[in-house]
Amino acid sequence: MNFKLFGSALILSGTALGAGMLAIPMVLAQFGLFYSTLLMLVICAGTTYAALLLTEACSKTELAFGINTVANKTIGKGGQLVTNALFYLLLFCMLIAYILGAADLIKRIFSMMNVEMSIEFAQVAFTLFASAFVVCGTQIIDKLNRLLFFFMISMLVLTLIILIPGMTAENLSQVTNHDKGMLFDTSTILFTSFASMPVIPSLVAYNKEATKQQLRNMVILGSIIPLICYLVWLYAVVGNLTANEITHFSNISDLIQTFSAKNEYIEIILSIFTSLALLTSFLGVAMALYNQNKDMISHNKIVTYVCTFVLPLLGAGLAADQFLSVLGYAGVILVFLAIFIPLAMVVTLRKKETEEVHQNLHIYTAEGGKLALGLTLLFGLLLLISQI
């Protein structure tokens, strides 16, 4: 087993897991498990192929450490400007969402120990702690993420052991909202929940010696793990609670508080699990932004640190109690950045390709040809329509 590639797949998974794990039961439970599962499978398939397109663009662009360089070498200065603007907006929105979620959890954990803490202090403490690992580089994040992911999955398994006996057929079969239009409207939140796109340029550069098959498998594994976790989590939550209860949750603490009444240990387990999920997501997204800032702005660590962590922290202070709203904004930005821009990159690159490129073992080309590209374009347009 190639542990470096496996660790990279876990970074992809850890980046996607986090906010999405918490948001999915809140937005899907009312529509029933059948249609919720079907929509999740479609979103996962579309997101995975879009990630493979970006992997192709990165693998065919030499010396590219961030998406800034990839855009410059594929879609020109104008495309580079648009890509950078969208990339920064996306990463800022995602980091703000993760800081908000993590601070809420930290405040709750300390209150369990009878220690009162302001939400602002919790936001600063979490950002300072997590950023210390990001500045150490991708290799450190890779090794740390493997450890965190192992503990996160362990907490998920413990949670399921507690929740599964309480699941009922009545809860699993409940459908309180038959409006398929409203279900369709949740597409961008689900799309964001599978978003590992920001870390792909860094991971392709980190695995520059990998074969094209290994790069493809890295992305697919990094997408399948979140899908399995989301489905298991969704079924466990829906099986234990009524849809009316779930849709009234506004933050992580509400969900944990409801389950803590059912089991005295679940509050601690869920707090640890969601903390790890948010931390792994934060590490992946912050790594992408940190590398982007090094690639585009400055190699000075102080300047890069301020640009990467201080601005999202200030944004989190202004966006209190807006966890799901920020996630929704990130979803709209992500449609352009993770669907349309990789499509433009790949179409441009394929027009210039030579036979030598196809024979290179380290240069990946996404399967499916023009049909898959057309379906990906349609997928992106449908995601945009869901927000109109």
CSV table of all heavy atoms in Angstrom, one decimal, residues 1-2 5-6 8-9 12 52 55 207-221 361-362 364:
chain,number,residue,atom,x,y,z
A,1,MET,N,0.8,-1.2,0.0
A,1,MET,CA,0.0,0.0,0.0
A,1,MET,C,0.9,1.3,0.0
A,1,MET,O,1.9,1.3,0.7
A,1,MET,CB,-0.9,0.0,1.2
A,1,MET,CG,-1.8,1.3,1.3
A,1,MET,SD,-2.8,1.3,2.9
A,1,MET,CE,-3.9,0.0,2.6
A,2,ASN,N,0.5,2.2,-0.8
A,2,ASN,CA,1.2,3.5,-0.9
A,2,ASN,C,0.6,4.4,0.2
A,2,ASN,O,-0.5,5.0,0.0
A,2,ASN,CB,1.1,4.1,-2.3
A,2,ASN,CG,2.0,5.3,-2.4
A,2,ASN,OD1,2.1,6.2,-1.5
A,2,ASN,ND2,2.6,5.5,-3.6
A,5,LEU,N,-0.2,8.2,-0.8
A,5,LEU,CA,-1.4,8.4,-1.6
A,5,LEU,C,-2.6,8.1,-0.7
A,5,LEU,O,-3.6,8.8,-0.8
A,5,LEU,CB,-1.4,7.4,-2.8
A,5,LEU,CG,-0.6,7.9,-4.0
A,5,LEU,CD1,-0.3,6.8,-4.9
A,5,LEU,CD2,-1.3,9.0,-4.7
A,6,PHE,N,-2.5,7.1,0.2
A,6,PHE,CA,-3.7,6.8,1.1
A,6,PHE,C,-3.9,8.0,2.0
A,6,PHE,O,-5.0,8.4,2.3
A,6,PHE,CB,-3.4,5.6,1.9
A,6,PHE,CG,-4.5,5.2,2.8
A,6,PHE,CD1,-5.7,4.8,2.3
A,6,PHE,CD2,-4.3,5.2,4.2
A,6,PHE,CE1,-6.8,4.4,3.2
A,6,PHE,CE2,-5.3,4.9,5.1
A,6,PHE,CZ,-6.6,4.5,4.6
A,8,SER,N,-3.1,11.1,1.3
A,8,SER,CA,-3.7,12.1,0.5
A,8,SER,C,-5.2,11.9,0.3
A,8,SER,O,-5.9,12.9,0.3
A,8,SER,CB,-3.0,12.2,-0.9
A,8,SER,OG,-1.6,12.5,-0.7
A,9,ALA,N,-5.6,10.7,0.1
A,9,ALA,CA,-7.0,10.4,0.0
A,9,ALA,C,-7.8,10.8,1.3
A,9,ALA,O,-8.9,11.3,1.2
A,9,ALA,CB,-7.3,8.9,-0.4
A,12,LEU,N,-8.3,14.5,1.3
A,12,LEU,CA,-9.5,14.8,0.5
A,12,LEU,C,-10.8,14.5,1.3
A,12,LEU,O,-11.7,15.3,1.3
A,12,LEU,CB,-9.5,13.9,-0.8
A,12,LEU,CG,-8.5,14.4,-1.9
A,12,LEU,CD1,-8.4,13.3,-2.9
A,12,LEU,CD2,-9.0,15.7,-2.5
A,52,LEU,N,-11.8,14.9,-10.7
A,52,LEU,CA,-10.9,14.2,-11.6
A,52,LEU,C,-10.5,15.1,-12.7
A,52,LEU,O,-9.3,15.1,-13.2
A,52,LEU,CB,-11.6,13.0,-12.2
A,52,LEU,CG,-11.8,11.8,-11.2
A,52,LEU,CD1,-12.6,10.7,-11.8
A,52,LEU,CD2,-10.5,11.2,-10.7
A,55,THR,N,-7.8,17.3,-11.3
A,55,THR,CA,-6.6,16.5,-11.2
A,55,THR,C,-5.9,16.4,-12.5
A,55,THR,O,-4.7,16.5,-12.6
A,55,THR,CB,-7.0,15.1,-10.7
A,55,THR,OG1,-7.7,15.2,-9.4
A,55,THR,CG2,-5.7,14.2,-10.5
A,207,ASN,N,2.2,14.5,-4.7
A,207,ASN,CA,2.3,13.2,-5.2
A,207,ASN,C,2.8,13.2,-6.7
A,207,ASN,O,2.3,12.5,-7.5
A,207,ASN,CB,1.0,12.4,-5.1
A,207,ASN,CG,0.5,12.2,-3.7
A,207,ASN,OD1,1.0,11.3,-3.0
A,207,ASN,ND2,-0.4,13.0,-3.2
A,208,LYS,N,3.7,14.0,-6.9
A,208,LYS,CA,4.2,14.2,-8.3
A,208,LYS,C,4.8,12.9,-8.9
A,208,LYS,O,4.9,12.8,-10.2
A,208,LYS,CB,5.2,15.3,-8.4
A,208,LYS,CG,6.4,15.2,-7.5
A,208,LYS,CD,7.3,16.4,-7.5
A,208,LYS,CE,8.5,16.3,-6.5
A,208,LYS,NZ,9.2,17.5,-6.5
A,209,GLU,N,5.2,12.0,-8.1
A,209,GLU,CA,5.8,10.7,-8.6
A,209,GLU,C,4.7,9.7,-8.8
A,209,GLU,O,5.0,8.6,-9.4
A,209,GLU,CB,6.8,10.2,-7.6
A,209,GLU,CG,6.3,9.5,-6.4
A,209,GLU,CD,5.7,10.5,-5.4
A,209,GLU,OE1,5.9,11.7,-5.5
A,209,GLU,OE2,5.0,10.1,-4.4
A,210,ALA,N,3.4,9.9,-8.5
A,210,ALA,CA,2.4,9.0,-8.6
A,210,ALA,C,2.0,8.7,-10.1
A,210,ALA,O,2.1,9.6,-11.0
A,210,ALA,CB,1.1,9.4,-7.9
A,211,THR,N,1.6,7.5,-10.4
A,211,THR,CA,1.1,7.2,-11.8
A,211,THR,C,-0.3,7.8,-12.0
A,211,THR,O,-1.0,8.1,-11.0
A,211,THR,CB,1.0,5.7,-12.0
A,211,THR,OG1,0.0,5.1,-11.1
A,211,THR,CG2,2.4,5.0,-11.7
A,212,LYS,N,-0.8,7.8,-13.2
A,212,LYS,CA,-2.1,8.3,-13.5
A,212,LYS,C,-3.2,7.5,-12.8
A,212,LYS,O,-4.2,8.0,-12.4
A,212,LYS,CB,-2.4,8.5,-15.0
A,212,LYS,CG,-2.0,7.3,-15.8
A,212,LYS,CD,-2.1,7.7,-17.3
A,212,LYS,CE,-1.5,6.6,-18.2
A,212,LYS,NZ,-1.5,7.1,-19.6
A,213,GLN,N,-3.0,6.2,-12.7
A,213,GLN,CA,-4.0,5.3,-12.1
A,213,GLN,C,-4.1,5.6,-10.6
A,213,GLN,O,-5.1,5.6,-10.0
A,213,GLN,CB,-3.7,3.9,-12.3
A,213,GLN,CG,-3.9,3.4,-13.7
A,213,GLN,CD,-2.7,3.6,-14.6
A,213,GLN,OE1,-1.7,4.2,-14.2
A,213,GLN,NE2,-2.8,3.3,-15.9
A,214,GLN,N,-2.9,5.9,-10.0
A,214,GLN,CA,-2.9,6.2,-8.6
A,214,GLN,C,-3.5,7.5,-8.3
A,214,GLN,O,-4.2,7.6,-7.3
A,214,GLN,CB,-1.4,6.2,-8.1
A,214,GLN,CG,-0.8,4.8,-8.0
A,214,GLN,CD,0.7,4.8,-7.7
A,214,GLN,OE1,1.4,5.8,-8.0
A,214,GLN,NE2,1.2,3.8,-6.9
A,215,LEU,N,-3.3,8.5,-9.1
A,215,LEU,CA,-4.0,9.8,-8.9
A,215,LEU,C,-5.5,9.6,-9.0
A,215,LEU,O,-6.2,10.2,-8.2
A,215,LEU,CB,-3.5,10.8,-10.0
A,215,LEU,CG,-2.1,11.3,-9.8
A,215,LEU,CD1,-1.7,12.2,-11.0
A,215,LEU,CD2,-1.9,12.1,-8.5
A,216,ARG,N,-6.0,8.9,-10.0
A,216,ARG,CA,-7.4,8.6,-10.1
A,216,ARG,C,-8.0,7.9,-8.9
A,216,ARG,O,-9.0,8.3,-8.4
A,216,ARG,CB,-7.7,7.8,-11.4
A,216,ARG,CG,-9.1,7.4,-11.6
A,216,ARG,CD,-9.3,6.3,-12.6
A,216,ARG,NE,-8.6,5.1,-12.0
A,216,ARG,CZ,-8.2,4.0,-12.8
A,216,ARG,NH1,-8.3,4.1,-14.1
A,216,ARG,NH2,-7.7,3.0,-12.2
A,217,ASN,N,-7.3,6.9,-8.5
A,217,ASN,CA,-7.8,6.1,-7.3
A,217,ASN,C,-7.8,7.0,-6.0
A,217,ASN,O,-8.6,6.8,-5.2
A,217,ASN,CB,-6.9,4.9,-7.1
A,217,ASN,CG,-7.1,3.9,-8.2
A,217,ASN,OD1,-8.0,3.9,-9.0
A,217,ASN,ND2,-6.1,3.0,-8.4
A,218,MET,N,-6.8,7.9,-5.9
A,218,MET,CA,-6.7,8.8,-4.8
A,218,MET,C,-8.0,9.6,-4.7
A,218,MET,O,-8.6,9.8,-3.6
A,218,MET,CB,-5.5,9.7,-4.9
A,218,MET,CG,-5.4,10.7,-3.8
A,218,MET,SD,-4.0,11.9,-4.2
A,218,MET,CE,-4.8,12.9,-5.4
A,219,VAL,N,-8.4,10.2,-5.8
A,219,VAL,CA,-9.6,11.1,-5.8
A,219,VAL,C,-10.8,10.3,-5.6
A,219,VAL,O,-11.7,10.7,-4.8
A,219,VAL,CB,-9.7,11.8,-7.2
A,219,VAL,CG1,-11.0,12.6,-7.3
A,219,VAL,CG2,-8.5,12.8,-7.3
A,220,ILE,N,-11.0,9.1,-6.2
A,220,ILE,CA,-12.2,8.3,-6.0
A,220,ILE,C,-12.3,7.8,-4.6
A,220,ILE,O,-13.4,7.9,-4.0
A,220,ILE,CB,-12.1,7.1,-7.0
A,220,ILE,CG1,-12.3,7.6,-8.5
A,220,ILE,CG2,-13.3,6.1,-6.7
A,220,ILE,CD1,-12.1,6.5,-9.5
A,221,LEU,N,-11.2,7.3,-4.0
A,221,LEU,CA,-11.3,6.9,-2.6
A,221,LEU,C,-11.6,8.1,-1.7
A,221,LEU,O,-12.4,7.9,-0.7
A,221,LEU,CB,-9.9,6.3,-2.2
A,221,LEU,CG,-9.8,5.8,-0.7
A,221,LEU,CD1,-10.9,4.7,-0.5
A,221,LEU,CD2,-8.4,5.3,-0.5
A,361,LEU,N,3.2,8.1,-18.0
A,361,LEU,CA,2.6,7.4,-16.9
A,361,LEU,C,2.1,8.3,-15.8
A,361,LEU,O,1.3,7.9,-14.9
A,361,LEU,CB,3.5,6.3,-16.4
A,361,LEU,CG,3.9,5.2,-17.3
A,361,LEU,CD1,4.9,4.3,-16.7
A,361,LEU,CD2,2.6,4.4,-17.6
A,362,HIS,N,2.7,9.5,-15.7
A,362,HIS,CA,2.4,10.4,-14.5
A,362,HIS,C,1.4,11.5,-14.9
A,362,HIS,O,1.1,12.3,-14.0
A,362,HIS,CB,3.7,11.0,-14.0
A,362,HIS,CG,4.7,10.0,-13.6
A,362,HIS,ND1,4.6,9.3,-12.4
A,362,HIS,CD2,5.8,9.5,-14.2
A,362,HIS,CE1,5.6,8.5,-12.3
A,362,HIS,NE2,6.4,8.6,-13.3
A,364,TYR,N,-2.4,12.4,-15.9
A,364,TYR,CA,-3.7,11.7,-15.9
A,364,TYR,C,-4.7,12.4,-16.8
A,364,TYR,O,-4.7,13.7,-16.9
A,364,TYR,CB,-4.2,11.8,-14.4
A,364,TYR,CG,-5.7,11.4,-14.3
A,364,TYR,CD1,-6.0,10.0,-14.5
A,364,TYR,CD2,-6.7,12.3,-14.1
A,364,TYR,CE1,-7.3,9.6,-14.4
A,364,TYR,CE2,-8.0,11.9,-14.0
A,364,TYR,CZ,-8.3,10.5,-14.2
A,364,TYR,OH,-9.6,10.1,-14.1
